[in-house]
Amino acid sequence: ECLVESGFNVKFWPHNLWRDPQYTSRLQDMGVEVFYGRQYEDFELWLAECGRNIQFAFLARPQVAIEFIDLLRTRTKAKVLFYGVDIHHLRMREQQKVAGPGRSADDSDIKNMEKLEHAVWSKADVVYYPSDEETAYVKEKVSCGVRTLPLFGFRSFAPESEPDLSTRSDILFVAGFAHSPNEDAAIWFAKNVLPLIRAHGLDARLFLVGSN
């Protein structure tokens, strides 16, 4: 929305070229061209025809970015921007400490992810992460631009006066639970935090909402 309102001609290329039944039409309604279907399986061919018109390429997630970034570099003059969402290899190391052997990624998987993320960072013009701690870490590793950018932005929908928070009781956790950190967080909260809340006499209900 921000890019469209700023005058950009925005195109969205999903990694799996799937036409999402909910989101595709919403993107199209706001003026975003969405690519989907087998006719767009050859990204290099599309770039050969249209790449000269691309000024900026905004990539997300290292496993996705690595498949596109070299072609964008060789086939366009676009400024390449990368949004990491989180630093995967650091998160995998922390998960290994908590989960233990056999229940998390092994050392070789973590090392491979670290190499992948460093490769993407080195090819990008600007790298974004949602926290200052993450951007500080990346700045020590690469010479490109590194910026902190919040993960989500929403239009304000707050009422004119703030509601009385003491009247609220339920807890909502929205996530994709096939992603192991989200699953771990949900289990930890349900086992370790929710009992403490209820022990204080609060009849809170916990809603876990999302895929898987």
Side-chain angles (χ1 to χ4, degrees):
E1 288 180 346
C2 291
L3 293 171
V4 170
E5 291 175 3
S6 298
F8 284 92
N9 180 341
V10 182
K11 302 179 186 298
F12 177 65
W13 191 290
H15 183 230
N16 58 5
L17 292 173
W18 182 52
R19 187 189 187 282
D20 187 281
Q22 295 185 57
Y23 296 116
T24 299
S25 60
R26 292 172 64 180
L27 287 168
Q28 292 170 329
D29 287 345
M30 73 171 71
V32 175
E33 182 180 6
V34 182
F35 296 88
Y36 54 86
R38 297 188 64 181
Q39 67 270 31
Y40 293 112
E41 287 182 345
D42 194 334
F43 183 65
E44 185 173 11
L45 177 61
W46 184 83
L47 282 184
E49 297 174 354
C50 306
R52 64 186 179 279
N53 297 316
I54 299 177
Q55 293 176 289
F56 299 93
F58 192 88
L59 306 173
R61 300 190 182 279
Q63 303 95 320
V64 175
I66 199 65
E67 295 189 24
F68 298 91
I69 197 165
D70 286 335
L71 287 173
L72 288 164
R73 277 295 185 208
T74 58
R75 292 287 190 175
T76 78
K77 296 181 179 180
K79 190 169 188 176
V80 177
L81 317 175
F82 170 70
Y83 194 74
V85 183
D86 70 340
I87 300 179
H88 289 41
H89 71 270
L90 295 183
R91 186 247 305 154
M92 292 163 71
R93 282 179 188 162
E94 293 304 308
Q95 183 181 10
Q96 189 181 59
K97 294 177 185 177
V98 173
R103 298 183 61 241
S104 61
D106 59 30
D107 291 337
S108 62
D109 290 332
I110 296 172
K111 197 67 179 176
N112 287 337
M113 178 56 70
E114 183 176 7
K115 290 179 180 178
L116 172 61
E117 289 180 303
H118 278 253
V120 173
W121 297 342
S122 68
K123 297 173 188 289
D125 292 299
V126 184
V127 173
Y128 300 93
Y129 278 94
S131 74
D132 289 336
E133 291 82 0
E134 289 165 310
T135 54
Y137 177 86
V138 178
K139 283 179 180 178
E140 294 179 354
K141 310 295 181 182
V142 294
S143 59
C144 67
V146 185
R147 302 285 185 270
T148 300
L149 183 67
L151 187 57
F152 297 110
F154 299 98
R155 296 189 183 281
S156 175
F157 51 85
E160 293 184 4
S161 59
E162 287 295 323
D164 183 358
L165 297 182
S166 66
T167 64
R168 298 185 179 184
S169 60
D170 296 334
I171 301 165
L172 174 65
F173 178 23
V174 181
F177 294 100
H179 188 44
S180 57
N182 295 340
E183 179 189 24
D184 178 65
I187 293 171
W188 173 81
F189 191 92
K191 285 184 174 180
N192 298 284
V193 180
L194 195 59
L196 297 177
I197 294 173
R198 289 178 173 160
H200 280 75
L202 301 175
D203 188 24
R205 297 178 297 173
L206 171 63
F207 294 88
L208 303 179
V209 179
S211 60
N212 299 288

